[in-house]
Amino acid sequence: MKKLPKPTEAELEILQVLWSRGPSSVREVNDILNKKREVGYTTTLKIMQIMADKGLAERDTSTRTHIYTPAVSEGDTQKQLLNRFLETTFKGSASKLVMQALGNHEASAEELEKIKALIKKIEGEQSK
Amino acid sequence: MKKLPKPTEAELEILQVLWSRGPSSVREVNDILNKKREVGYTTTLKIMQIMADKGLAERDTSTRTHIYTPAVSEGDTQKQLLNRFLETTFKGSASKLVMQALGNHEASAEELEKIKALIKKIEGEQSK
DNA sequence: TTGTTTTTACGAAAGCTTTCGTATAATATT
DNA sequence: AATATTATACGAAAGCTTTCGTAAAAACAA
């Protein structure tokens, strides 16, 4: 497994667009970003070019309008960032983080069910 | 409630030392940091001075060796950073984050108990 | 064809954090 | 007292990310 570079904030924002939209042009990504905040077109272009350089995205340059595709999965990226965040902010204590997260943000009943199911599964494995 | 500046990585590292040790001098903090990685003394000094400027720490300058005290609580800071992380990485879905955190890092049996208890409490509130 | 729009490419500026060299003052040592 | 050590202060350099101006190429429209 190769180690992926940690995406910056701006890169992560773009990755999220690519994850939800699939392969996209700079124009399309930039339009979406601009629904939330003002970003210059060339700014988005530049960052997407950097992402291609770093290997966070791949681009198809066969047509004039280049099409970018995410080269890292959403789940893997979340896992990577979570590990890092867990380490820096909670010194590795996942349960502390979970407690904080559940305490401050209400999850729906079904989400809580999923979490309970997961806990059960983990407990099952532990008792072996 | 006043809004605290977001601590940088280096600042967070120092805050963690201050939280665990309580009021400390630059030398003491720097020594602890150097157990993990090499940091120059003046680098640590500079960042702690910035922290005092920003209001992340307070310092007692009544003696030659200034003593720094955290001015923000560990819990509040974790909550602030967690909210931000949740937004940027999990688009606000706390349960997704919890699932990932529990899935990837084993929590001890007692930690799982605590989490289950918390879920029960939340469920109790929801059913009202 | 001629001019307008759209796109990529390039590089530099701006902004932020971290690192460090140097100066100066206070303290400790011999 | 003279020297060495330890502390703070200051500013600049280094490193990284983000932003943007400008140019060149491609596609489109009149």
PDB file of all heavy atoms in Angstrom, chain B residues 71-102:
ATOM      1  N   ALA B  71      -4.994  28.724  28.675  1.00  0.00           N
ATOM      2  CA  ALA B  71      -6.114  29.646  28.876  1.00  0.00           C
ATOM      3  C   ALA B  71      -7.379  29.102  28.237  1.00  0.00           C
ATOM      4  O   ALA B  71      -8.424  29.742  28.261  1.00  0.00           O
ATOM      5  CB  ALA B  71      -5.775  31.026  28.294  1.00  0.00           C
ATOM      6  N   VAL B  72      -7.278  27.951  27.628  1.00  0.00           N
ATOM      7  CA  VAL B  72      -8.450  27.297  27.050  1.00  0.00           C
ATOM      8  C   VAL B  72      -8.498  25.880  27.612  1.00  0.00           C
ATOM      9  O   VAL B  72      -7.465  25.288  27.902  1.00  0.00           O
ATOM     10  CB  VAL B  72      -8.374  27.243  25.499  1.00  0.00           C
ATOM     11  CG1 VAL B  72      -8.473  28.642  24.918  1.00  0.00           C
ATOM     12  CG2 VAL B  72      -7.105  26.555  25.037  1.00  0.00           C
ATOM     13  N   SER B  73      -9.699  25.355  27.780  1.00  0.00           N
ATOM     14  CA  SER B  73      -9.808  24.025  28.373  1.00  0.00           C
ATOM     15  C   SER B  73      -9.636  22.952  27.304  1.00  0.00           C
ATOM     16  O   SER B  73      -9.897  23.176  26.122  1.00  0.00           O
ATOM     17  CB  SER B  73     -11.162  23.855  29.058  1.00  0.00           C
ATOM     18  OG  SER B  73     -12.153  23.548  28.095  1.00  0.00           O
ATOM     19  N   GLU B  74      -9.194  21.802  27.765  1.00  0.00           N
ATOM     20  CA  GLU B  74      -8.989  20.693  26.841  1.00  0.00           C
ATOM     21  C   GLU B  74     -10.317  20.307  26.185  1.00  0.00           C
ATOM     22  O   GLU B  74     -10.393  20.140  24.970  1.00  0.00           O
ATOM     23  CB  GLU B  74      -8.398  19.498  27.586  1.00  0.00           C
ATOM     24  CG  GLU B  74      -8.080  18.329  26.679  1.00  0.00           C
ATOM     25  CD  GLU B  74      -7.261  17.251  27.369  1.00  0.00           C
ATOM     26  OE1 GLU B  74      -7.222  17.235  28.618  1.00  0.00           O
ATOM     27  OE2 GLU B  74      -6.658  16.424  26.658  1.00  0.00           O
ATOM     28  N   GLY B  75     -11.347  20.189  26.967  1.00  0.00           N
ATOM     29  CA  GLY B  75     -12.647  19.781  26.429  1.00  0.00           C
ATOM     30  C   GLY B  75     -13.196  20.760  25.404  1.00  0.00           C
ATOM     31  O   GLY B  75     -13.640  20.357  24.331  1.00  0.00           O
ATOM     32  N   ASP B  76     -13.155  22.033  25.735  1.00  0.00           N
ATOM     33  CA  ASP B  76     -13.657  23.036  24.794  1.00  0.00           C
ATOM     34  C   ASP B  76     -12.882  22.998  23.493  1.00  0.00           C
ATOM     35  O   ASP B  76     -13.451  23.113  22.405  1.00  0.00           O
ATOM     36  CB  ASP B  76     -13.546  24.440  25.395  1.00  0.00           C
ATOM     37  CG  ASP B  76     -14.616  24.705  26.438  1.00  0.00           C
ATOM     38  OD1 ASP B  76     -15.491  23.842  26.609  1.00  0.00           O
ATOM     39  OD2 ASP B  76     -14.570  25.763  27.082  1.00  0.00           O
ATOM     40  N   THR B  77     -11.573  22.864  23.614  1.00  0.00           N
ATOM     41  CA  THR B  77     -10.742  22.857  22.421  1.00  0.00           C
ATOM     42  C   THR B  77     -11.028  21.634  21.569  1.00  0.00           C
ATOM     43  O   THR B  77     -11.162  21.720  20.348  1.00  0.00           O
ATOM     44  CB  THR B  77      -9.250  22.890  22.820  1.00  0.00           C
ATOM     45  OG1 THR B  77      -9.023  24.035  23.645  1.00  0.00           O
ATOM     46  CG2 THR B  77      -8.368  22.962  21.587  1.00  0.00           C
ATOM     47  N   GLN B  78     -11.153  20.480  22.228  1.00  0.00           N
ATOM     48  CA  GLN B  78     -11.473  19.261  21.484  1.00  0.00           C
ATOM     49  C   GLN B  78     -12.812  19.407  20.778  1.00  0.00           C
ATOM     50  O   GLN B  78     -12.974  19.013  19.622  1.00  0.00           O
ATOM     51  CB  GLN B  78     -11.496  18.061  22.430  1.00  0.00           C
ATOM     52  CG  GLN B  78     -10.103  17.619  22.858  1.00  0.00           C
ATOM     53  CD  GLN B  78     -10.155  16.517  23.892  1.00  0.00           C
ATOM     54  OE1 GLN B  78     -11.173  16.293  24.539  1.00  0.00           O
ATOM     55  NE2 GLN B  78      -9.032  15.828  24.059  1.00  0.00           N
ATOM     56  N   LYS B  79     -13.764  19.985  21.476  1.00  0.00           N
ATOM     57  CA  LYS B  79     -15.085  20.158  20.882  1.00  0.00           C
ATOM     58  C   LYS B  79     -15.006  21.061  19.644  1.00  0.00           C
ATOM     59  O   LYS B  79     -15.560  20.747  18.589  1.00  0.00           O
ATOM     60  CB  LYS B  79     -16.030  20.785  21.906  1.00  0.00           C
ATOM     61  CG  LYS B  79     -17.483  20.787  21.475  1.00  0.00           C
ATOM     62  CD  LYS B  79     -18.332  21.723  22.307  1.00  0.00           C
ATOM     63  CE  LYS B  79     -18.470  21.261  23.743  1.00  0.00           C
ATOM     64  NZ  LYS B  79     -19.415  22.139  24.508  1.00  0.00           N
ATOM     65  N   GLN B  80     -14.273  22.139  19.784  1.00  0.00           N
ATOM     66  CA  GLN B  80     -14.127  23.078  18.675  1.00  0.00           C
ATOM     67  C   GLN B  80     -13.472  22.411  17.470  1.00  0.00           C
ATOM     68  O   GLN B  80     -13.946  22.527  16.333  1.00  0.00           O
ATOM     69  CB  GLN B  80     -13.272  24.266  19.148  1.00  0.00           C
ATOM     70  CG  GLN B  80     -13.071  25.350  18.102  1.00  0.00           C
ATOM     71  CD  GLN B  80     -11.831  26.188  18.383  1.00  0.00           C
ATOM     72  OE1 GLN B  80     -11.123  25.963  19.380  1.00  0.00           O
ATOM     73  NE2 GLN B  80     -11.551  27.136  17.510  1.00  0.00           N
ATOM     74  N   LEU B  81     -12.383  21.696  17.736  1.00  0.00           N
ATOM     75  CA  LEU B  81     -11.666  21.054  16.636  1.00  0.00           C
ATOM     76  C   LEU B  81     -12.484  19.918  16.033  1.00  0.00           C
ATOM     77  O   LEU B  81     -12.462  19.690  14.822  1.00  0.00           O
ATOM     78  CB  LEU B  81     -10.313  20.540  17.125  1.00  0.00           C
ATOM     79  CG  LEU B  81      -9.333  21.637  17.556  1.00  0.00           C
ATOM     80  CD1 LEU B  81      -8.068  21.012  18.110  1.00  0.00           C
ATOM     81  CD2 LEU B  81      -9.000  22.545  16.369  1.00  0.00           C
ATOM     82  N   LEU B  82     -13.212  19.221  16.902  1.00  0.00           N
ATOM     83  CA  LEU B  82     -14.043  18.125  16.415  1.00  0.00           C
ATOM     84  C   LEU B  82     -15.136  18.658  15.489  1.00  0.00           C
ATOM     85  O   LEU B  82     -15.398  18.090  14.423  1.00  0.00           O
ATOM     86  CB  LEU B  82     -14.663  17.374  17.590  1.00  0.00           C
ATOM     87  CG  LEU B  82     -15.608  16.239  17.224  1.00  0.00           C
ATOM     88  CD1 LEU B  82     -14.888  15.167  16.426  1.00  0.00           C
ATOM     89  CD2 LEU B  82     -16.216  15.625  18.487  1.00  0.00           C
ATOM     90  N   ASN B  83     -15.768  19.744  15.889  1.00  0.00           N
ATOM     91  CA  ASN B  83     -16.809  20.324  15.032  1.00  0.00           C
ATOM     92  C   ASN B  83     -16.256  20.670  13.655  1.00  0.00           C
ATOM     93  O   ASN B  83     -16.868  20.396  12.632  1.00  0.00           O
ATOM     94  CB  ASN B  83     -17.380  21.591  15.680  1.00  0.00           C
ATOM     95  CG  ASN B  83     -18.308  21.271  16.821  1.00  0.00           C
ATOM     96  OD1 ASN B  83     -18.836  20.161  16.909  1.00  0.00           O
ATOM     97  ND2 ASN B  83     -18.503  22.218  17.724  1.00  0.00           N
ATOM     98  N   ARG B  84     -15.109  21.275  13.668  1.00  0.00           N
ATOM     99  CA  ARG B  84     -14.486  21.674  12.418  1.00  0.00           C
ATOM    100  C   ARG B  84     -14.128  20.458  11.564  1.00  0.00           C
ATOM    101  O   ARG B  84     -14.400  20.405  10.373  1.00  0.00           O
ATOM    102  CB  ARG B  84     -13.228  22.478  12.744  1.00  0.00           C
ATOM    103  CG  ARG B  84     -12.631  23.192  11.579  1.00  0.00           C
ATOM    104  CD  ARG B  84     -11.299  23.840  11.997  1.00  0.00           C
ATOM    105  NE  ARG B  84     -10.633  24.364  10.813  1.00  0.00           N
ATOM    106  CZ  ARG B  84     -10.937  25.510  10.250  1.00  0.00           C
ATOM    107  NH1 ARG B  84     -11.895  26.264  10.742  1.00  0.00           N
ATOM    108  NH2 ARG B  84     -10.290  25.913   9.159  1.00  0.00           N
ATOM    109  N   PHE B  85     -13.547  19.475  12.221  1.00  0.00           N
ATOM    110  CA  PHE B  85     -13.140  18.272  11.507  1.00  0.00           C
ATOM    111  C   PHE B  85     -14.351  17.536  10.949  1.00  0.00           C
ATOM    112  O   PHE B  85     -14.351  17.050   9.813  1.00  0.00           O
ATOM    113  CB  PHE B  85     -12.358  17.362  12.458  1.00  0.00           C
ATOM    114  CG  PHE B  85     -11.917  16.077  11.851  1.00  0.00           C
ATOM    115  CD1 PHE B  85     -10.908  16.055  10.908  1.00  0.00           C
ATOM    116  CD2 PHE B  85     -12.507  14.881  12.222  1.00  0.00           C
ATOM    117  CE1 PHE B  85     -10.500  14.865  10.335  1.00  0.00           C
ATOM    118  CE2 PHE B  85     -12.102  13.684  11.654  1.00  0.00           C
ATOM    119  CZ  PHE B  85     -11.094  13.674  10.711  1.00  0.00           C
ATOM    120  N   LEU B  86     -15.374  17.469  11.754  1.00  0.00           N
ATOM    121  CA  LEU B  86     -16.608  16.804  11.349  1.00  0.00           C
ATOM    122  C   LEU B  86     -17.162  17.470  10.094  1.00  0.00           C
ATOM    123  O   LEU B  86     -17.599  16.803   9.150  1.00  0.00           O
ATOM    124  CB  LEU B  86     -17.612  16.938  12.492  1.00  0.00           C
ATOM    125  CG  LEU B  86     -18.852  16.083  12.509  1.00  0.00           C
ATOM    126  CD1 LEU B  86     -18.478  14.626  12.378  1.00  0.00           C
ATOM    127  CD2 LEU B  86     -19.592  16.315  13.824  1.00  0.00           C
ATOM    128  N   GLU B  87     -17.137  18.758  10.090  1.00  0.00           N
ATOM    129  CA  GLU B  87     -17.663  19.521   8.957  1.00  0.00           C
ATOM    130  C   GLU B  87     -16.818  19.284   7.707  1.00  0.00           C
ATOM    131  O   GLU B  87     -17.337  18.949   6.643  1.00  0.00           O
ATOM    132  CB  GLU B  87     -17.675  21.014   9.323  1.00  0.00           C
ATOM    133  CG  GLU B  87     -18.777  21.788   8.688  1.00  0.00           C
ATOM    134  CD  GLU B  87     -20.102  21.028   8.699  1.00  0.00           C
ATOM    135  OE1 GLU B  87     -20.613  20.663   9.793  1.00  0.00           O
ATOM    136  OE2 GLU B  87     -20.612  20.760   7.602  1.00  0.00           O
ATOM    137  N   THR B  88     -15.521  19.436   7.836  1.00  0.00           N
ATOM    138  CA  THR B  88     -14.673  19.374   6.653  1.00  0.00           C
ATOM    139  C   THR B  88     -14.495  17.949   6.140  1.00  0.00           C
ATOM    140  O   THR B  88     -14.427  17.739   4.938  1.00  0.00           O
ATOM    141  CB  THR B  88     -13.272  19.973   6.925  1.00  0.00           C
ATOM    142  OG1 THR B  88     -12.654  19.231   7.966  1.00  0.00           O
ATOM    143  CG2 THR B  88     -13.360  21.433   7.320  1.00  0.00           C
ATOM    144  N   THR B  89     -14.437  16.987   7.022  1.00  0.00           N
ATOM    145  CA  THR B  89     -14.114  15.634   6.583  1.00  0.00           C
ATOM    146  C   THR B  89     -15.326  14.730   6.463  1.00  0.00           C
ATOM    147  O   THR B  89     -15.369  13.864   5.592  1.00  0.00           O
ATOM    148  CB  THR B  89     -13.080  15.003   7.527  1.00  0.00           C
ATOM    149  OG1 THR B  89     -11.949  15.859   7.623  1.00  0.00           O
ATOM    150  CG2 THR B  89     -12.637  13.648   7.019  1.00  0.00           C
ATOM    151  N   PHE B  90     -16.316  14.926   7.334  1.00  0.00           N
ATOM    152  CA  PHE B  90     -17.480  14.046   7.289  1.00  0.00           C
ATOM    153  C   PHE B  90     -18.767  14.796   6.969  1.00  0.00           C
ATOM    154  O   PHE B  90     -19.859  14.298   7.201  1.00  0.00           O
ATOM    155  CB  PHE B  90     -17.617  13.280   8.609  1.00  0.00           C
ATOM    156  CG  PHE B  90     -16.579  12.216   8.808  1.00  0.00           C
ATOM    157  CD1 PHE B  90     -15.345  12.512   9.366  1.00  0.00           C
ATOM    158  CD2 PHE B  90     -16.827  10.909   8.402  1.00  0.00           C
ATOM    159  CE1 PHE B  90     -14.374  11.531   9.536  1.00  0.00           C
ATOM    160  CE2 PHE B  90     -15.859   9.926   8.577  1.00  0.00           C
ATOM    161  CZ  PHE B  90     -14.637  10.233   9.140  1.00  0.00           C
ATOM    162  N   LYS B  91     -18.604  15.996   6.460  1.00  0.00           N
ATOM    163  CA  LYS B  91     -19.753  16.824   6.098  1.00  0.00           C
ATOM    164  C   LYS B  91     -20.824  16.855   7.192  1.00  0.00           C
ATOM    165  O   LYS B  91     -22.027  16.885   6.901  1.00  0.00           O
ATOM    166  CB  LYS B  91     -20.350  16.356   4.770  1.00  0.00           C
ATOM    167  CG  LYS B  91     -19.574  16.859   3.555  1.00  0.00           C
ATOM    168  CD  LYS B  91     -20.023  16.197   2.262  1.00  0.00           C
ATOM    169  CE  LYS B  91     -19.433  14.806   2.123  1.00  0.00           C
ATOM    170  NZ  LYS B  91     -19.792  14.125   0.864  1.00  0.00           N
ATOM    171  N   GLY B  92     -20.393  16.819   8.400  1.00  0.00           N
ATOM    172  CA  GLY B  92     -21.315  16.980   9.518  1.00  0.00           C
ATOM    173  C   GLY B  92     -21.959  15.704  10.034  1.00  0.00           C
ATOM    174  O   GLY B  92     -22.705  15.746  11.008  1.00  0.00           O
ATOM    175  N   SER B  93     -21.680  14.572   9.437  1.00  0.00           N
ATOM    176  CA  SER B  93     -22.308  13.334   9.890  1.00  0.00           C
ATOM    177  C   SER B  93     -21.528  12.697  11.047  1.00  0.00           C
ATOM    178  O   SER B  93     -20.544  11.985  10.835  1.00  0.00           O
ATOM    179  CB  SER B  93     -22.401  12.347   8.727  1.00  0.00           C
ATOM    180  OG  SER B  93     -22.740  11.068   9.230  1.00  0.00           O
ATOM    181  N   ALA B  94     -21.990  12.983  12.245  1.00  0.00           N
ATOM    182  CA  ALA B  94     -21.283  12.479  13.420  1.00  0.00           C
ATOM    183  C   ALA B  94     -21.295  10.955  13.455  1.00  0.00           C
ATOM    184  O   ALA B  94     -20.311  10.328  13.840  1.00  0.00           O
ATOM    185  CB  ALA B  94     -21.920  13.036  14.688  1.00  0.00           C
ATOM    186  N   SER B  95     -22.397  10.368  13.038  1.00  0.00           N
ATOM    187  CA  SER B  95     -22.465   8.915  13.145  1.00  0.00           C
ATOM    188  C   SER B  95     -21.475   8.232  12.202  1.00  0.00           C
ATOM    189  O   SER B  95     -20.865   7.226  12.547  1.00  0.00           O
ATOM    190  CB  SER B  95     -23.885   8.434  12.876  1.00  0.00           C
ATOM    191  OG  SER B  95     -24.248   8.698  11.550  1.00  0.00           O
ATOM    192  N   LYS B  96     -21.302   8.833  11.025  1.00  0.00           N
ATOM    193  CA  LYS B  96     -20.293   8.268  10.117  1.00  0.00           C
ATOM    194  C   LYS B  96     -18.917   8.285  10.765  1.00  0.00           C
ATOM    195  O   LYS B  96     -18.158   7.326  10.691  1.00  0.00           O
ATOM    196  CB  LYS B  96     -20.243   9.073   8.816  1.00  0.00           C
ATOM    197  CG  LYS B  96     -21.069   8.492   7.693  1.00  0.00           C
ATOM    198  CD  LYS B  96     -20.675   9.132   6.362  1.00  0.00           C
ATOM    199  CE  LYS B  96     -21.515   8.577   5.224  1.00  0.00           C
ATOM    200  NZ  LYS B  96     -21.258   9.299   3.953  1.00  0.00           N
ATOM    201  N   LEU B  97     -18.634   9.417  11.384  1.00  0.00           N
ATOM    202  CA  LEU B  97     -17.345   9.531  12.051  1.00  0.00           C
ATOM    203  C   LEU B  97     -17.223   8.495  13.165  1.00  0.00           C
ATOM    204  O   LEU B  97     -16.190   7.827  13.299  1.00  0.00           O
ATOM    205  CB  LEU B  97     -17.187  10.937  12.625  1.00  0.00           C
ATOM    206  CG  LEU B  97     -15.931  11.201  13.449  1.00  0.00           C
ATOM    207  CD1 LEU B  97     -15.384  12.595  13.157  1.00  0.00           C
ATOM    208  CD2 LEU B  97     -16.207  11.065  14.929  1.00  0.00           C
ATOM    209  N   VAL B  98     -18.265   8.340  13.931  1.00  0.00           N
ATOM    210  CA  VAL B  98     -18.220   7.373  15.031  1.00  0.00           C
ATOM    211  C   VAL B  98     -18.022   5.959  14.505  1.00  0.00           C
ATOM    212  O   VAL B  98     -17.219   5.190  15.032  1.00  0.00           O
ATOM    213  CB  VAL B  98     -19.514   7.459  15.864  1.00  0.00           C
ATOM    214  CG1 VAL B  98     -19.594   6.301  16.850  1.00  0.00           C
ATOM    215  CG2 VAL B  98     -19.571   8.787  16.609  1.00  0.00           C
ATOM    216  N   MET B  99     -18.728   5.663  13.444  1.00  0.00           N
ATOM    217  CA  MET B  99     -18.591   4.331  12.866  1.00  0.00           C
ATOM    218  C   MET B  99     -17.148   4.075  12.435  1.00  0.00           C
ATOM    219  O   MET B  99     -16.576   3.023  12.709  1.00  0.00           O
ATOM    220  CB  MET B  99     -19.519   4.190  11.660  1.00  0.00           C
ATOM    221  CG  MET B  99     -20.999   4.395  11.959  1.00  0.00           C
ATOM    222  SD  MET B  99     -21.789   2.985  12.756  1.00  0.00           S
ATOM    223  CE  MET B  99     -21.821   1.827  11.383  1.00  0.00           C
ATOM    224  N   GLN B 100     -16.594   5.046  11.757  1.00  0.00           N
ATOM    225  CA  GLN B 100     -15.202   4.908  11.318  1.00  0.00           C
ATOM    226  C   GLN B 100     -14.268   4.749  12.508  1.00  0.00           C
ATOM    227  O   GLN B 100     -13.375   3.915  12.512  1.00  0.00           O
ATOM    228  CB  GLN B 100     -14.772   6.153  10.525  1.00  0.00           C
ATOM    229  CG  GLN B 100     -15.191   6.147   9.078  1.00  0.00           C
ATOM    230  CD  GLN B 100     -14.088   5.614   8.176  1.00  0.00           C
ATOM    231  OE1 GLN B 100     -13.151   4.948   8.622  1.00  0.00           O
ATOM    232  NE2 GLN B 100     -14.206   5.903   6.886  1.00  0.00           N
ATOM    233  N   ALA B 101     -14.491   5.579  13.521  1.00  0.00           N
ATOM    234  CA  ALA B 101     -13.584   5.571  14.667  1.00  0.00           C
ATOM    235  C   ALA B 101     -13.664   4.233  15.404  1.00  0.00           C
ATOM    236  O   ALA B 101     -12.640   3.662  15.777  1.00  0.00           O
ATOM    237  CB  ALA B 101     -13.918   6.713  15.616  1.00  0.00           C
ATOM    238  N   LEU B 102     -14.873   3.745  15.585  1.00  0.00           N
ATOM    239  CA  LEU B 102     -15.013   2.472  16.290  1.00  0.00           C
ATOM    240  C   LEU B 102     -14.537   1.311  15.434  1.00  0.00           C
ATOM    241  O   LEU B 102     -13.999   0.328  15.935  1.00  0.00           O
ATOM    242  CB  LEU B 102     -16.468   2.241  16.693  1.00  0.00           C
ATOM    243  CG  LEU B 102     -16.962   3.057  17.879  1.00  0.00           C
ATOM    244  CD1 LEU B 102     -18.385   2.681  18.214  1.00  0.00           C
ATOM    245  CD2 LEU B 102     -16.058   2.831  19.088  1.00  0.00           C
TER     246      LEU B 102
END
